[in-house]
Structures are given as structure tokens and as C-alpha cells.
Amino acid sequence: GAGVSQTPSNKVTEKGKYVELRCDPISGHTALYWYRQSLGQGPEFLIYFQGTGAADDSGLPNDRFFAVRPEGSVSTLKIQRTERGDSAVYLCASSLTSRLQTGGQETQYFGPGTRLLVL
Amino acid sequence: GNSVTQMEGPVTLSEEAFLTINCTYTATGYPSLFWYVQYPGEGLQLLLKATKADDKGSNKGFEATYRKETTSFHLEKGSVQVSDSAVYFCALFYNQGGKLIFGQGTELSVKP
């Protein structure tokens, strides 16, 4: 079946602009995660959804970042007033459930990422 | 807090050499441990995992054993191939939340 997809694959924007990044999880996966990966670093957690609600948004760096998942499937990460420091690859992942729900470990499947460049 | 530390790269090996990439972690409780791989131009893929102490994860000739006493999860392969050239990430999933915590990644380059 189809994996996690993300659009666009690349996004170039100017400082101060607003951007939206989209994630389509694997069909049937209830948990969805956003991570950010800077050059030469490992991915860093941003936010995690269980269904439609954000179960943990502790990784969002500031209030310019916001994410939604209104129908429990597709998610959009929104960045307002972009800054050059926001340039990174934004990764989305999904899993069947989270550990909190099942008490067991669920594997996260990653999309190819959106490479954001803020000029 | 919870964290993962990997050996720094790049690691350069000749084909058929033995590979070890060190990974140690700090965590409360009993996390699950993962190795992900990122091939050039591709997304992160799960390579192997272990969910409890002394478990051994294995896939594609790679192995890693969850060592609670040394808080380690070192990745090994007996004979690397050029196609193994990639960036390898060690990660932990801790039982208080839904997020993976990654190490900084180790780049492996295998020469023919």
C-alpha cells in the first residue's frame, strides 16, 4: 500500500511569509507525528496527534508554528512569519496507534519530507 | 532527560569490512530502541528495533542488542556492502509519550 506522503517536496519562501506543509499518513494510521531535521542532525520532535487532537505539542519551538488534523487523517503544519532559522527538512510519520493507547510499541513510518528554505 | 548519543561520522570502510556504530542512551523507565537508515535522496526507514533488555533486533545482516546494563544499542554488520552507504540514526521511544528521540546520525561510506 501507499506510504506516508508529503507535499510539497521542496518549498522556497521569503522571510516573513506564511507556509503550509501537508502530510498524508498511511491509511488507517491513527497516530501522526511531525519532526524537523536540520542539516547534519537527527530529527527533532515537534508535535504528535492521536486522531484529531494534538496529544503532545511540546516540541513546537514557538507560537509561529501550528498544526492541525481536522478529520484525523491528513495533517497540515503551518508556519507564520517564517525566519531563516526555520529552514530544515520537515518530516511526517504515522503509526497504527501510540504506545499510550496500546501499551505496546508501535513503529513509526516516515514520509520523504518537505525541504523548506527560507531566504 | 532522555537522550541518544551516537559515534561521530563519517565512517569510511572497505567492502566486506566489519561495521560497528556505537549508540548509548539516557532514559527513565524502559524505552524501546530503534535503528533507522536514510539512504541518499530517500526518507527514513526502520532498520531494526528491540523493545526490552537483552532483545536482539536484526535485519538485512545488521544486528543490535539492547544492553540495559551499559545503556547501549550498538549496530553491527559482519560484512558491509557499497549499498549500505547511508546515514544511520539510533533512536529511543520512551514510555511517557509518543515521540522518538534521535541521535545525531552517523554517516557510513563503503568503498569498493
Side-chain angles (χ1 to χ4, degrees):
Chain A
V4 178
S5 62
Q6 292 187 245
T7 54
S9 54
N10 291 280
K11 176 71 177 178
V12 181
T13 190
E14 294 179 345
K15 180 175 177 299
K17 299 290 189 183
Y18 168 83
V19 297
E20 289 189 352
L21 312 178
R22 176 188 167 106
C23 172
D24 253 296
I26 293 171
S27 178
H29 280 194
T30 58
L32 184 147
Y33 315 79
W34 284 99
Y35 294 83
R36 179 168 70 172
Q37 186 177 17
S38 300
L39 193 62
Q41 301 296 316
E44 293 181 316
F45 170 78
L46 295 177
I47 185 170
Y48 140 60
F49 289 89
Q50 184 61 42
T52 60
D56 182 355
D57 65 358
S58 62
L60 294 177
N62 51 59
D63 61 6
R64 296 187 297 106
F65 289 74
F66 189 72
V68 295
R69 195 185 185 201
E71 297 177 358
S73 178
V74 170
S75 176
T76 305
L77 178 65
K78 308 180 181 196
I79 311 175
Q80 299 177 320
R81 304 183 303 280
T82 51
E83 300 177 357
R84 293 194 180 89
D86 299 335
S87 297
V89 177
Y90 288 81
L91 299 170
C92 177
S94 70
S95 69
L96 272 172
T97 59
S98 75
R99 182 184 175 93
L100 294 176
Q101 185 168 345
T102 66
Q105 188 55 62
E106 296 295 342
T107 300
Q108 297 183 20
Y109 297 89
F110 283 80
T114 294
R115 188 175 300 276
L116 175 67
L117 177 60
V118 182
L119 300 176
Chain B
N2 301 302
S3 65
V4 175
T5 302
Q6 293 180 231
M7 64 187 285
E8 288 194 18
V11 174
T12 303
L13 296 173
S14 297
E15 206 163 24
E16 300 182 4
F18 184 86
L19 168 71
T20 300
I21 300 179
N22 290 337
C23 170
T24 57
Y25 68 90
T26 302
T28 54
Y30 302 94
S32 294
L33 301 173
F34 299 81
W35 278 99
Y36 279 83
V37 59
Q38 193 168 37
Y39 297 103
E42 298 185 17
L44 275 171
Q45 301 175 26
L46 176 67
L47 181 60
L48 53 85
K49 67 179 183 181
T51 58
K52 61 183 188 296
D54 299 325
D55 267 3
K56 177 185 284 189
S58 60
N59 186 26
K60 299 182 181 180
F62 290 89
E63 292 184 338
T65 301
Y66 188 161
R67 301 283 189 203
K68 188 164 174 59
E69 63 276 14
T70 54
T71 62
S72 65
F73 192 55
H74 304 322
L75 182 68
E76 297 183 335
K77 186 174 185 182
S79 176
V80 293
Q81 305 300 312
V82 172
S83 57
D84 294 327
S85 298
V87 181
Y88 292 81
F89 293 93
C90 185
L92 72 81
F93 185 103
Y94 72 106
N95 61 4
Q96 296 304 311
K99 59 192 176 191
L100 285 164
I101 295 174
F102 287 87
Q104 76 272 28
T106 303
E107 182 181 358
L108 170 66
S109 177
V110 181
K111 306 296 186 186

